[in-house]
Amino acid sequence: MPVLEFKNVSKIYKQGENEVQALNDVSLTVEQGEFIAVIGPSGSGKSTFLSIAGALLNPTQGEVILNGKNLHEIKPKDLAKVRLHEIGFILQTSNLVPYLNVLDQLLVVKRMAGKVTKEDKQYAIQLLQELGLGEKLKKFPEQLSGGERQRTAIARAFMNNPSIILADEPTASLDSKRAFEVVQLIAKETKLRNKAAIMVTHDERMLEYCDKVYRMEDGRLSLDETSTHKK
């Protein structure tokens, strides 16, 4: 069973008397262990696509299926649980809590979901060690480099063992070296933990780490065979 499916999804915004079609009949399937990229110019519909994939926005038409569940049929109060337990988000900036150290950045996710156990703490430490942050557990965001903050954000996204990771321009605030490191780590963790991952990016240098590349233009999504240069 696919992790995520878009079935003929469209999204129309009303602007006064006018309508703007942000997504136009988008269909997509993402499997376990698959890391895909979505590229396209500003205003092409990428942000709307990611918001719908993350259960933050409802489509005007079509279906979005996550782990076999139609998101449109889930009550709004239950969608919050879906976002917490089944979706991991990585944003353009790390969005770390300034007064929490690196370890607690991850444990706060478990506190939101319920009680923090000894196993949760061990898992958080394991994730941080995998991402090269084993020596930074007690450091606060202001004591970290930009790359370290973004790596912490990656670890946090995986903390609740979600089915899918959604990354919105995760390298936008990083230099080239750190950007490559971050995308490599997302790809590595996706494969290691058999998750699905979608990255929206404008930086086509990062596409070599993705299994598939899709191009968004005027709200339409198509597989871009020419952009895939996976190592």
Side-chain angles (χ1 to χ4, degrees):
M1 181 179 67
V3 176
L4 179 71
E5 291 181 271
F6 271 52
K7 296 183 176 181
N8 306 110
V9 171
S10 295
K11 180 64 180 178
I12 298 173
Y13 294 104
K14 289 189 175 181
Q15 295 184 348
E17 297 181 356
N18 299 319
E19 291 184 343
V20 176
Q21 185 147 18
L23 292 185
N24 190 346
D25 197 31
V26 170
S27 293
L28 173 78
T29 299
V30 189
E31 307 282 351
Q32 282 183 311
E34 193 170 42
F35 182 26
I36 76 166
V38 176
I39 60 175
S42 178
S44 62
K46 301 190 306 296
S47 295
T48 297
F49 164 78
L50 209 63
S51 295
I52 291 175
L56 296 168
L57 194 64
N58 289 322
T60 305
Q61 294 178 335
E63 296 182 332
V64 181
I65 312 296
L66 180 65
N67 291 323
K69 300 184 293 288
N70 189 331
L71 294 183
H72 184 66
E73 297 175 353
I74 299 176
K75 295 178 180 179
K77 65 176 182 179
D78 293 326
L79 278 178
K81 295 178 182 178
V82 170
R83 289 190 291 269
L84 179 60
H85 294 286
E86 300 188 48
I87 304 171
F89 294 93
I90 304 170
L91 305 178
Q92 294 183 29
T93 55
S94 59
N95 281 3
L96 300 181
V97 181
Y99 54 83
L100 294 180
N101 64 35
V102 167
L103 180 58
D104 284 337
Q105 300 287 341
L106 275 63
L107 295 182
V108 72
V109 176
K110 299 303 295 188
R111 290 191 183 98
M112 291 171 63
K115 184 180 178 181
V116 177
T117 66
K118 179 180 178 181
E119 289 74 21
D120 292 333
K121 187 172 182 179
Q122 291 173 340
Y123 181 64
I125 293 172
Q126 178 187 343
L127 271 172
L128 292 166
Q129 288 174 337
E130 286 176 7
L131 297 178
L133 294 165
E135 303 299 319
K136 306 287 183 178
L137 302 184
K138 298 300 182 181
K139 299 291 185 181
F140 290 87
E142 64 179 12
Q143 298 172 301
L144 303 175
S145 68
E148 289 169 342
R149 287 193 292 269
Q150 200 66 330
R151 278 187 273 155
T152 303
I154 294 171
R156 183 178 60 186
F158 281 92
M159 183 62 201
N160 260 354
N161 199 26
S163 302
I164 189 165
I165 299 294
L166 302 178
D168 183 11
E169 299 280 6
T171 63
S173 61
L174 303 175
D175 60 41
S176 294
K177 182 176 183 294
R178 300 294 183 266
F180 279 112
E181 289 177 356
V182 162
V183 176
Q184 282 179 292
L185 287 170
I186 295 173
K188 172 189 169 186
E189 289 297 316
T190 298
K191 301 299 181 187
L192 180 66
R193 302 190 179 281
N194 201 28
K195 306 301 180 182
I198 300 175
M199 175 178 66
V200 166
T201 183
H202 70 280
D203 192 343
E204 298 197 15
R205 296 174 302 170
M206 304 300 147
L207 303 182
E208 63 186 87
Y209 302 104
C210 299
D211 299 302
K212 294 178 184 175
V213 177
Y214 291 84
R215 185 174 294 274
M216 182 79 75
E217 291 187 12
D218 298 324
R220 292 185 177 275
L221 191 70
S222 59
L223 185 64
D224 190 339
E225 301 281 0
T226 63
S227 295
T228 304
H229 303 289
K230 187 174 175 62
K231 286 186 175 179

